[in-house]
Amino acid sequence: MRKPKKLLNDPNNVRQEVMQGLVYAYNGKLTAIPDYCAVYGNHISNEQVVVISGGGSGHEPTFAGFIGEGGIDGCALGEVFTSPSPDQIIELTKATENGNGVLFLYGNYSGDGMNFDISAEILAEENIVTKTIRATDDIASAPLSKLSDRRGVAGIMFLYKIAGAASQFEKYNLENLYQVVAKANANVRTIGVALDGCALPQSNNFNFELDENEIEIGIGIHGEAGLRRQAMTSSDEVVKEMIHHLCDDLPFQTDDRVCVLINNLGALSNTELLVITRKVGIELNNRGIIIHDIAVGHFCTSLEMSGFSITLMKLDDELQHLYDLPCQTLGWRK
C-alpha cells in the first residue's frame, strides 16, 4: 500500500509554523498574535468594517492567505482540518475591531459555526457588534432545498473578494456589507472531483483512497463523500458533467455574466489545470454564459489531494463593480 510523504518538522507543530511562514511571506504586512495563532493585516483602517475569517489549516492559501488590501482583514488558524477555538477568534476580534462592527465570514462546518457563535455571544457582552455569513457553495453536500446546510469550499474566495472590496474601498456599513456578501454567497456554486486522497500530518495513511481507475465526483475538501465514485474517464467528460451540475443548480442562463475559479486541490499539475480550463471555457461559451474573469491555481487546497474544483459566481452590476476593485493578498492578486 502506498504511504504518504511530507516534508515537515514536528507534525504536531504545523499550525504554528504555518503562521510563522505567513508572517515572513507577507514581508511586514501581517501581524501575528502568537499565543492565539491568529494573524491580521496592517492595512486595516478606522473607517471600515473589519472582516474576520478562520478555519482549519491544511487548505492553504485559504484562509489566512487572503488577508490584505481588497481581501479579508484577519484570520484565526485552527489545527489541520480543525476549527479555531473561541479564544482565538475573540482575541483576534478584540485586536482588530474599530467600533464599526465585525463581519465573521467562514465555511459552513459545525465546529466553525459553534465556535464563531460562542465568540459572537461573548463579544456582544463587551458591546462588540458582529454579523455572520457562512459560505455554502458546495452543491454536492446538500440539495438546493437545503442550501443553508451546504459546506463552504473554494467559492469562499469570491466572498472574500466581495467583502474586502465593499468594506475597505466602498466603506459599506455592517448591515450593507452583510447584505452584499449574502447576495454573493447565494450566487456562488462549486463542485469538486478527486483522483486520490490526502493525508493528515500525523498520519501514515491517506484519509481515503480511490482505486487506480476511480475518481469521485463531488468530493469535499476534507474527503467528505461526494455524489458518486466512477471509472476514470477523460478530462473533457468530467468537466462537462461538473458544468452541467453547476449550471442546473443556480440555475445559470444564457447571457449571465460569471467569474470562474479553477481550483487545484493540491497535487494536480498546471498542465492538467489548463486542459480543464479549456473545457470549462468551451462549455460556458456553448451555453452563452459570459466569462467576466477566470482564475486558475491553488486557492482552497486539501493538503496534497489530487483533484480540482470549479466555482462559478453569477454577477450583477454591484458584484461586478466590487469584484473589479484591486486585491493584493498572498493567495490572489488582481
Side-chain angles (χ1 to χ4, degrees):
M1 181 181 295
R2 189 169 67 92
K3 295 291 183 182
K5 293 190 293 186
K6 296 183 188 296
L7 190 60
L8 296 172
N9 300 309
D10 181 349
N12 296 309
N13 201 32
V14 168
R15 177 178 64 154
Q16 287 78 8
E17 293 187 358
V18 166
M19 181 190 67
Q20 293 161 5
L22 282 166
V23 171
Y24 281 108
Y26 269 91
N27 194 26
K29 297 179 180 177
L30 197 71
T31 296
I33 310 175
D35 290 345
Y36 294 92
C37 210
V39 290
Y40 60 91
N42 298 339
H43 62 274
I44 302 172
S45 77
N46 291 327
E47 290 77 37
Q48 67 163 100
V49 174
V50 173
V51 180
I52 284 178
S53 189
S57 300
H59 304 298
E60 287 71 22
T62 295
F63 304 91
F66 294 107
I67 293 173
E69 295 180 1
I72 60 173
D73 300 308
C75 186
L77 285 70
E79 299 284 1
V80 175
F81 289 6
T82 302
S83 305
S85 70
D87 284 348
Q88 290 179 263
I89 299 164
I90 290 167
E91 290 305 315
L92 172 63
T93 304
K94 287 180 178 179
T96 54
E97 70 91 17
N98 53 20
N100 296 312
V102 177
L103 182 71
F104 287 156
L105 175 56
Y106 55 90
N108 187 32
Y109 296 91
S110 56
D112 294 307
M114 179 179 68
N115 290 344
F116 271 95
D117 284 349
I118 291 171
S119 303
E121 291 179 8
I122 294 172
L123 290 164
E125 294 174 357
E126 301 186 30
N127 297 316
I128 297 174
V129 179
T130 65
K131 292 182 80 71
T132 294
I133 298 285
R134 296 176 184 169
T136 55
D137 54 303
D138 186 355
I139 67 171
S141 56
L144 187 58
S145 60
K146 296 182 178 180
L147 190 147
S148 62
D149 291 343
R150 288 179 170 177
R151 301 181 293 248
V153 285
I156 197 170
M157 191 201 75
F158 283 148
L159 306 189
Y160 288 163
K161 179 74 183 69
I162 297 301
S167 63
Q168 294 177 26
F169 300 134
E170 299 296 348
K171 302 297 187 292
Y172 280 38
N173 64 31
L174 180 58
E175 178 58 30
N176 291 342
L177 181 63
Y178 172 85
Q179 294 296 337
V180 75
V181 179
K183 178 172 68 174
N185 190 34
N187 282 10
V188 175
R189 299 288 190 276
T190 299
I191 188 168
V193 62
L195 284 67
D196 208 347
C198 60
L200 297 175
Q202 300 89 347
S203 174
N204 290 320
N205 297 299
F206 291 94
N207 67 340
F208 71 95
E209 292 188 82
L210 294 163
D211 289 342
E212 288 185 3
N213 63 343
E214 272 188 333
I215 59 174
E216 184 158 344
I217 305 287
I219 193 77
I221 59 172
H222 307 102
E224 296 95 336
L227 299 175
R228 71 171 189 278
R229 292 187 176 189
Q230 66 171 56
M232 189 76 187
T233 184
S234 70
S235 173
D236 279 5
E237 288 299 319
V238 173
V239 170
K240 183 177 181 179
E241 178 178 350
M242 294 168 79
I243 292 294
H244 170 75
H245 285 304
L246 290 170
C247 289
D248 273 5
D249 195 89
L250 189 59
F252 293 91
Q253 299 174 339
T254 300
D255 292 332
D256 278 346
R257 289 166 287 154
V258 298
C259 293
V260 183
L261 179 70
I262 312 295
N263 171 56
N264 194 338
L265 284 168
L268 226 57
S269 68
N270 286 341
T271 297
E272 291 164 291
L273 279 187
L274 289 174
V275 171
I276 290 161
T277 303
R278 160 194 160 275
K279 183 60 174 175
V280 170
I282 291 171
E283 286 296 316
L284 293 179
N285 285 334
N286 287 344
R287 292 168 184 265
I289 296 173
I290 300 166
I291 299 175
H292 178 70
D293 194 22
I294 186 162
V296 183
H298 291 80
F299 298 99
C300 182
T301 61
S302 180
L303 296 169
E304 74 278 38
M305 184 188 294
S306 179
F308 68 98
S309 60
I310 303 170
T311 300
L312 302 180
M313 178 172 70
K314 180 179 176 180
L315 298 173
D316 62 10
D317 290 343
E318 182 184 33
L319 294 178
Q320 183 171 323
H321 168 70
L322 294 169
Y323 180 86
D324 286 342
L325 291 172
C327 179
Q328 293 293 326
T329 71
L330 182 66
W332 194 36
R333 294 179 171 88
K334 279 187 62 65

